[in-house]
Amino acid sequence: MERKFTFETFSAFLGAALPSYKGDKELLYELSEAAFSSIPAISSQSPILSRFGYSPAHIIFYIVGEHTFYLATHPDKKESDLKGDEDYARFIASFALDKYYTNEHLSYSEGSLLSPYMPEVSTISLYLNFVLGTLRRFKKGDPKQTLFVDILSKGLTMAKCIVSLLVGGYETEAFSTWRTLHENECILLSLLSAGEKAVQSYIRHMHYALAFRGALPSKEETDATFLEIKEGMKAHGLKSKDMKRYIEYGWLYEVPNAAGEEGFKLNFRDGVEKAAGLHSYSRVYEMSSEIAHSSPLLIYSRKSYFTLIGIINLYESFFRLEKVFSSMYLGTAGEEEKRRYENLRHAYYGELIASYGRLKKRFSSLSKKEKKEGD
């Protein structure tokens, strides 16, 4: 077979695509040539595969993976021993091409009702990529300093995950992931509105959770923490059976008016969700919980219904998180960064609103149709 590219071209590609690769590039070139020279035979033997073109880049990535894995699992082998070994080249090429064709062209698909190229998907994806990329500049990992950034980043990361699941056709999985995203946004909005005292209490209860899981450095610290937990429970008239709920939700006592609300409980729906002002999502959250716990609703779900309810709730959560991001970012960004974000918002926020409106109309039409068919 005619060479796909020269070693110089191959080496330049590898340097650009995988700059951290430290292996023998000449050996990798041999393995790649062995794979490319096998493609005509594979295509002639399989009418299905012959219909596909192929991506040299993806094949090279599979070869790098297989070769790296082989070296890691055969510590007695050195790259210098494998150079010029035609059997090894055929072995790696076989695995790489098998995985390439199966995973890239013949992979199992659930059949999505959404395409990544639809504005309803592509616009929110673009926005999420920009926002998550921007959040990288904020230091993370110390809740005493970066709690809001950490919660916001995790929420937006879950939003990106939900988009991927929806595009892949995994609408119920996307909807159950939205449940966690909703919990995340409710905690964030509750703390933002409550003030510093509630934030410090939330961080303290994170410490309590570590003690409960036996993750503190010493027995002395664990014992002292449990003593503090019991004193806090006593102050609120709680019993020993309430300990786990107090550890997880006791910080709500420091959220102004939360504990005084009618029906307040140390849980998500009657505590955190109410404190965030999002209790109207209670029924949707309950439905998502049923999905998450493998109820019949998961097994016999309606694809169109859960696709739409999943992406609509994603949009609504995203709008709230984007508002928090906008306030946080514009308060710290330089003038050039502000202009970039404002340009993005000017260009695409209107399309987000329009996309959301179209999705709501589709959901309304679907609901009316299902109701009519059920009559």
Side-chain angles (χ1 to χ4, degrees):
M1 178 182 176
E2 182 182 343
R3 289 186 171 185
K4 192 67 186 173
F5 31 59
T6 64
F7 172 72
E8 289 71 21
T9 304
F10 175 84
S11 183
F13 165 79
L14 205 63
L18 299 170
S20 61
Y21 185 74
K22 304 300 181 186
D24 189 318
K25 292 182 180 179
E26 290 185 355
L27 173 56
L28 206 61
Y29 182 58
E30 286 182 15
L31 302 178
S32 299
E33 286 216 304
F36 293 132
S37 63
S38 301
I39 290 175
I42 293 173
S43 297
S44 66
Q45 293 169 11
S46 172
I48 294 177
L49 295 182
S50 66
R51 297 202 301 263
F52 300 124
Y54 63 92
S55 165
H58 281 88
I59 292 172
I60 291 169
F61 293 150
Y62 277 107
I63 289 169
V64 170
E66 293 300 322
H67 175 57
T68 303
F69 180 78
Y70 181 86
L71 292 175
T73 53
H74 295 78
D76 57 316
K77 297 289 185 179
K78 296 180 180 179
E79 287 193 304
S80 57
D81 300 328
L82 299 171
K83 266 189 174 180
D85 186 334
E86 293 184 2
D87 289 338
Y88 178 69
R90 282 193 292 269
F91 168 74
I92 294 295
S94 174
F95 271 72
L97 290 173
D98 196 15
K99 292 181 180 181
Y100 167 73
Y101 279 112
T102 303
N103 294 341
E104 303 300 327
H105 293 297
L106 303 174
S107 63
Y108 172 78
S109 174
E110 279 287 339
S112 176
L113 300 180
L114 296 173
S115 160
Y117 309 108
M118 297 168 59
E120 291 90 339
V121 176
S122 61
T123 307
I124 196 169
S125 295
L126 177 145
Y127 228 109
L128 285 167
N129 285 327
F130 178 89
V131 172
L132 284 167
T134 301
L135 284 172
R136 286 179 183 167
R137 75 179 186 84
F138 290 90
K139 292 182 179 179
K140 302 173 189 175
D142 179 3
K144 293 180 180 178
Q145 303 294 327
T146 63
L147 180 64
F148 290 147
V149 172
D150 294 341
I151 297 175
L152 179 61
S153 295
K154 180 55 68 174
L156 292 167
T157 300
M158 283 188 285
K160 187 171 172 61
C161 174
I162 291 168
V163 172
S164 297
L165 288 169
L166 287 169
V167 168
Y170 302 102
E171 64 286 333
T172 49
E173 292 78 2
F175 187 42
S176 65
T177 303
W178 172 83
R179 172 180 179 264
T180 309
L181 169 58
H182 182 56
E183 291 170 351
N184 173 283
E185 66 168 327
C186 285
I187 291 170
L188 178 63
L189 295 174
S190 299
L191 292 174
L192 281 169
S193 65
E196 186 60 25
K197 195 172 181 181
V199 172
Q200 293 307 316
S201 180
Y202 181 82
I203 293 172
R204 193 61 193 164
H205 279 261
M206 289 173 62
H207 185 76
Y208 294 166
L210 292 176
F212 187 77
R213 294 180 176 86
L216 294 183
S218 67
K219 183 179 183 301
E220 291 75 18
E221 186 177 358
T222 300
D223 291 343
T225 302
F226 269 103
L227 182 61
E228 186 178 322
I229 291 171
K230 291 175 182 177
E231 289 174 351
M233 291 173 61
K234 184 178 179 181
H236 293 289
L238 300 174
K239 299 179 180 180
S240 57
K241 65 182 179 64
D242 301 317
M243 179 177 286
K244 193 170 185 302
R245 290 191 295 115
Y246 174 72
I247 289 172
E248 190 169 356
Y249 298 107
W251 56 273
L252 285 167
Y253 287 118
E254 300 300 336
V255 177
N257 302 320
E261 286 285 322
E262 184 180 352
F264 169 80
K265 294 179 183 178
L266 288 178
N267 61 28
F268 176 74
R269 290 177 63 188
D270 300 304
V272 183
E273 198 174 41
K274 281 186 175 180
L278 296 175
H279 195 57
S280 60
Y281 284 86
S282 181
R283 289 182 63 187
V284 181
Y285 178 79
E286 182 180 11
M287 189 191 305
S288 182
S289 297
E290 289 184 46
I291 292 289
H293 294 120
S294 281
S295 72
L297 191 61
L298 168 64
I299 309 302
Y300 300 105
S301 61
R302 292 165 290 163
K303 199 170 192 69
S304 56
Y305 178 85
F306 281 102
T307 295
L308 286 171
I309 201 171
I311 195 168
I312 285 170
N313 281 282
L314 167 64
Y315 261 81
E316 292 174 1
S317 294
F318 173 77
F319 286 139
R320 289 186 286 270
L321 292 178
E322 192 275 340
K323 187 176 180 180
V324 174
F325 169 80
S326 180
S327 174
M328 182 186 301
Y329 179 62
L330 293 177
T332 60
E335 290 304 315
E336 181 60 32
E337 290 177 311
K338 285 182 182 179
R339 276 194 294 274
R340 285 181 59 219
Y341 183 60
E342 287 167 351
N343 288 339
L344 174 84
R345 226 173 181 274
H346 178 74
Y348 292 108
Y349 199 81
E351 192 172 67
L352 280 176
I353 298 295
S355 294
Y356 172 68
R358 281 169 54 85
L359 291 165
K360 289 280 284 184
K361 285 182 179 179
R362 286 169 59 188
F363 184 70
S364 178
S365 297
L366 178 65
S367 298
K368 288 178 182 177
K369 179 181 178 183
E370 291 187 346
K371 183 177 180 181
K372 186 177 180 180
E373 289 175 350
D375 291 340

